[in-house]
Amino acid sequence: MFGIDCHTHSGNSPDGTGTVGGLCRRAISLGLEALAITEHVELNRWHSQGYYGTTPRNDEEEYSYYKRMEKAMKDNHAAKEAYGNRLHIISGIELGQIPCDFGLADSVMQDNRLDFVIASLHELKNKPDFYFLDYRTEDVPKLLEQYFSELLTLCQWGKFDVLGHMTYPLRYIEGEAGMPVDLSAYEEQIHECLKALVNNGCGLELNTSGLRQKYGKPFPTLEYIKLYREMGGESLSIGSDAHCAEDVGSGIKEAIAIAKEAGFSYLCYYLEREPVYIPIP
C-alpha cells in the first residue's frame, strides 16, 4: 500500500503489537514508506505532580512527561536501528498544550533526536482533555470559541512542524455526545489559523482516526484541507493516530483521495525537522 503514517503512538497491549516494534512491523507488512512514532508529551504536565501542587483529575491524567519523552526517544532510536533498513522511521512527539509555556516548548524541541513535532491542543486552561468533558453541562459554543482562539495563538507562534487534528473537539462533541456543531461560527478563527500555518511554513495534518470512530470523518474535513492548499499550504501529512498496531495505516487510502481532491499532488513526512515530499501516484 502506497503511503505514509505520520501519527502513531505505542501502547501496552499484552501481545506486544502495541510496542514501537509492533508498530514498525505492521507498517512494513502494509508496505508503508514511512512511519512517524509520536508519543504524547503534554507540556502542561511536563514536570512532576509536586512541581504543580495539583492532583490528577482522572485516572488517565499523568505528570512528569519529561520521563515519557526520554523513554520515547530511546525506543525510537532502537526502532531505527532494528527496522530502519526497511522503513523510514520518524522519531517524533505530539506536543500538547504548547501555549501554556512557549519557552519550555522551545527547549523541548531543541532535542536533536527529534525528526518531527506535531502540535496539538487536547485541553483548555483549567479543564481536562475534551475526552472527559460532560457536554450536557458544558457551554459548547464557548468551549469551541476558546479552543480556536488558543489554537490561533499556537499557529501564530508556529515553531512546530505540523498542526495535529485541527478539529479535535468534534471527536467527542459530535462523535461521542452526538451534538451537531456548525463550524461557520468559527470560520474567521479557522481561516486565521490556516493563514498563520502557511505564513510560518507549518504543515497541516489530515488525521484519519475519525473515519474509524463514531465521528465518521477525518480531522479536519476536505473543505479545510482544500482551503489550506488554496492559501498556499504545501506540507500535508497523513496520520492514523494509531495507539495499537492494528490501526496503523487505517484510513490512509481515503486520506490520499481527500488530499488529491484538495489539490495536493504530494504528501510529506519529516526527517531532522525538514519536510520530505512524496509524489502521490
Side-chain angles (χ1 to χ4, degrees), residues 32-108:
L32 295 180
E33 181 167 337
L35 179 75
I37 305 166
T38 52
E39 185 61 272
H40 282 285
V41 177
E42 306 297 349
L43 201 67
N44 56 325
R45 291 188 295 280
W46 173 262
H47 302 291
S48 68
Q49 181 180 324
Y51 176 90
Y52 298 103
T54 58
T55 57
R57 293 169 290 191
N58 52 68
D59 291 341
E60 296 184 29
E61 195 167 86
E62 63 180 273
Y63 292 81
S64 299
Y65 269 91
Y66 71 92
K67 294 182 180 178
R68 182 185 278 207
M69 179 167 172
E70 186 59 30
K71 181 179 184 302
M73 294 300 97
K74 291 178 179 177
D75 288 348
N76 292 354
H77 176 75
K80 286 189 176 188
E81 290 289 313
Y83 304 100
N85 61 335
R86 290 176 283 170
L87 177 71
H88 290 301
I89 296 174
I90 302 151
S91 177
I93 55 171
E94 182 182 0
L95 197 57
Q97 291 73 258
I98 289 174
C100 78
D101 193 331
F102 287 120
L104 177 57
D106 264 324
S107 177
V108 170

Side-chain angles (χ1 to χ4, degrees), residues 4 6 33-34 88 90 267-271 274-278:
I4 53 177
C6 286
E33 181 167 337
H88 290 301
I90 302 151
L267 302 173
C268 82
Y269 63 88
Y270 286 74
L271 289 175
E274 294 293 332
V276 178
Y277 295 96
I278 307 175

Side-chain angles (χ1 to χ4, degrees), residues 140-149 169-170 173 181 186 189:
V140 172
K142 184 177 179 180
L143 275 179
L144 287 172
E145 194 284 330
Q146 185 179 350
Y147 172 78
F148 287 114
S149 177
L170 301 188
I173 300 172
V181 172
Y186 317 99
Q189 290 172 300

Side-chain angles (χ1 to χ4, degrees), residues 102 149-160 189 192-197 199-200 202:
F102 287 120
S149 177
E150 290 191 23
L151 202 69
L152 178 56
T153 299
L154 172 61
C155 293
Q156 288 174 334
W157 180 71
K159 295 184 181 181
F160 51 87
Q189 290 172 300
E192 288 301 312
C193 286
L194 294 173
K195 180 180 176 182
L197 291 179
N199 289 344
N200 288 321
C202 297

Side-chain angles (χ1 to χ4, degrees), residues 119-183:
S120 296
L121 194 60
H122 297 121
E123 57 192 75
L124 302 175
K125 187 177 181 181
N126 298 322
K127 283 189 177 290
D129 192 302
F130 281 95
Y131 172 82
F132 294 102
L133 298 181
D134 182 351
Y135 296 102
R136 296 169 298 180
T137 59
E138 292 286 347
D139 184 337
V140 172
K142 184 177 179 180
L143 275 179
L144 287 172
E145 194 284 330
Q146 185 179 350
Y147 172 78
F148 287 114
S149 177
E150 290 191 23
L151 202 69
L152 178 56
T153 299
L154 172 61
C155 293
Q156 288 174 334
W157 180 71
K159 295 184 181 181
F160 51 87
D161 299 316
V162 164
L163 178 68
H165 47 51
M166 186 177 76
T167 49
Y168 174 74
L170 301 188
R171 176 183 289 173
Y172 306 109
I173 300 172
E174 285 199 346
E176 297 299 325
M179 300 172 62
V181 172
D182 181 2
L183 286 180

